[in-house]
Every structure is written in structure tokens, then in C-alpha cells.
Amino acid sequence: MYKSQKLALVVDDSKMQCKLLSVLLQEENYRVIVANDGASGVEMYSEHQPDLVLMDINMPKMGGVEATQFISDYHDNVKVLALTMHSSEKYISEMIKVGALGYVLKDAGEEELKKAIQSVAEGIKYYSNEVSVTLIHALMNKDTSKSSTLSDRELEVLKYISLGNTCKE
């Protein structure tokens, strides 16, 4: 049975990273287009409307946060997976706020990256274990005099997800 190809946009200033991601995405049945900076990524997204975007953060002309914000502002149902070396809470929070559905570090293994791609492509949020731990630590270290936006049960579930458990578990 023929499986129709989807289109993925890789936005990264590293040509080697783009090449490696292209091979991986082609194995997952994607046609791939590449942009080497955020501004070109925004243009290519508007022109081609890909099914999935893999977005780096630090790039020339326009960074990934700004590019994701721009794309999300003008297009509905954008599926962006942040793929970056930045593990700080600041970057993670910024990408989530501007509409990224997932966040994975560049040192992730192939299987984790495939899982992230599949999840985000289906519209399901995906955060690598390291990213989840960073978010939990940030939540736990917030000023306790402010009211939390998450209930105790939600924090508990988030903790177990960060440890690698499934939602059902």
C-alpha cells in the first residue's frame, strides 16, 4: 500500500545537521525542504505550508523563537518541534509560549527523535526527559508565595512523565 508523503521543513544554520535530519525524515516518509536561517524558514513555511517544522533556536537573520512566533501568528495548526542544544528553562519556555509543540535536545538518540517527530506530527506535545526535568525544576523553584497554575495532581503527573512513564502509567 502506498503511503503518501508529508512535507517537513528543517530550519537550522548547520548544513550537516540539515543533511542528517533530512535523511532521518526521509526514512519517516517525508519530503524535506531546508532553510538555513529563521527568516528563510518563515518564507518557506508561508510558501509550502509543510506538515512539520524542525526548528533550531540560534540562527542568523532571525532566531527560532522569533520565526516560530511569526509562523504561529499567521498560520493555524503549526506543528513545530524545537531541536536545539539549548537546555535552559528560558529557551524552553519561550519556544513553548510561541507555539512549539515539542522540544528535544540535539544530542537525543535517533529513536527519541523519531518518537518526537511522530508525536508532534500528530499534534501531540513532546518534551524530552531532560526538558521535562528542567521544566519541573523551574516550576518547583518558582516563588511559592504566588499561586501555582498547576494543581498538586498535575505536578505529580508531570513528575512521572519526566521520569519516562507514559500518561496511562
Side-chain angles (χ1 to χ4, degrees), residues 12 17 21 24 54-58 81-93 95-96 102-117 120 126-135:
D12 197 308
Q17 184 76 17
L21 290 171
L24 179 74
L54 274 64
M55 182 76 71
D56 190 14
I57 291 181
N58 282 344
L81 172 61
L83 183 60
T84 181
M85 64 182 185
H86 297 288
S87 61
S88 74
E89 187 265 336
K90 174 188 177 272
Y91 286 113
I92 297 167
S93 295
M95 284 301 285
I96 292 170
Y103 198 107
V104 177
L105 300 178
K106 284 187 176 180
D107 64 357
E110 182 178 343
E111 290 308 310
E112 179 171 33
L113 187 52
K114 284 181 179 182
K115 187 175 178 182
I117 288 167
V120 171
Y126 186 93
Y127 307 109
S128 66
N129 187 51
E130 297 89 347
V131 170
S132 297
V133 168
T134 299
L135 290 173

Side-chain angles (χ1 to χ4, degrees), residues 21-126:
L21 290 171
S22 293
V23 170
L24 179 74
L25 286 161
Q26 288 166 357
E27 288 175 4
E28 295 295 306
N29 205 39
Y30 282 90
R31 284 184 306 115
V32 180
I33 54 177
V34 174
N36 294 118
D37 60 71
S40 299
V42 169
E43 288 175 26
M44 291 186 90
Y45 188 92
S46 296
E47 182 180 338
H48 299 283
Q49 304 265 321
D51 300 290
L52 177 68
V53 179
L54 274 64
M55 182 76 71
D56 190 14
I57 291 181
N58 282 344
M59 295 178 286
K61 296 184 184 174
M62 180 188 289
V65 173
E66 194 178 358
T68 301
Q69 174 74 61
F70 192 91
I71 292 169
S72 295
D73 283 349
Y74 292 97
H75 302 280
D76 295 329
N77 303 316
V78 175
K79 295 174 180 166
V80 175
L81 172 61
L83 183 60
T84 181
M85 64 182 185
H86 297 288
S87 61
S88 74
E89 187 265 336
K90 174 188 177 272
Y91 286 113
I92 297 167
S93 295
E94 286 178 351
M95 284 301 285
I96 292 170
K97 284 177 189 173
V98 298
L101 286 179
Y103 198 107
V104 177
L105 300 178
K106 284 187 176 180
D107 64 357
E110 182 178 343
E111 290 308 310
E112 179 171 33
L113 187 52
K114 284 181 179 182
K115 187 175 178 182
I117 288 167
Q118 290 166 354
S119 295
V120 171
E122 293 173 13
I124 299 168
K125 294 180 180 181
Y126 186 93

Side-chain angles (χ1 to χ4, degrees), residues 105-166:
L105 300 178
K106 284 187 176 180
D107 64 357
E110 182 178 343
E111 290 308 310
E112 179 171 33
L113 187 52
K114 284 181 179 182
K115 187 175 178 182
I117 288 167
Q118 290 166 354
S119 295
V120 171
E122 293 173 13
I124 299 168
K125 294 180 180 181
Y126 186 93
Y127 307 109
S128 66
N129 187 51
E130 297 89 347
V131 170
S132 297
V133 168
T134 299
L135 290 173
I136 289 170
H137 283 263
L139 279 172
M140 302 305 266
N141 293 328
K142 294 273 184 208
D143 184 359
T144 54
S145 65
K146 296 178 184 175
S147 63
S148 175
T149 56
L150 296 177
S151 69
D152 289 340
R153 179 67 179 145
E154 289 168 326
L155 287 171
E156 181 183 4
V157 169
L158 191 57
K159 173 185 156 194
Y160 287 116
I161 289 172
S162 75
L163 295 173
N165 295 4
T166 66

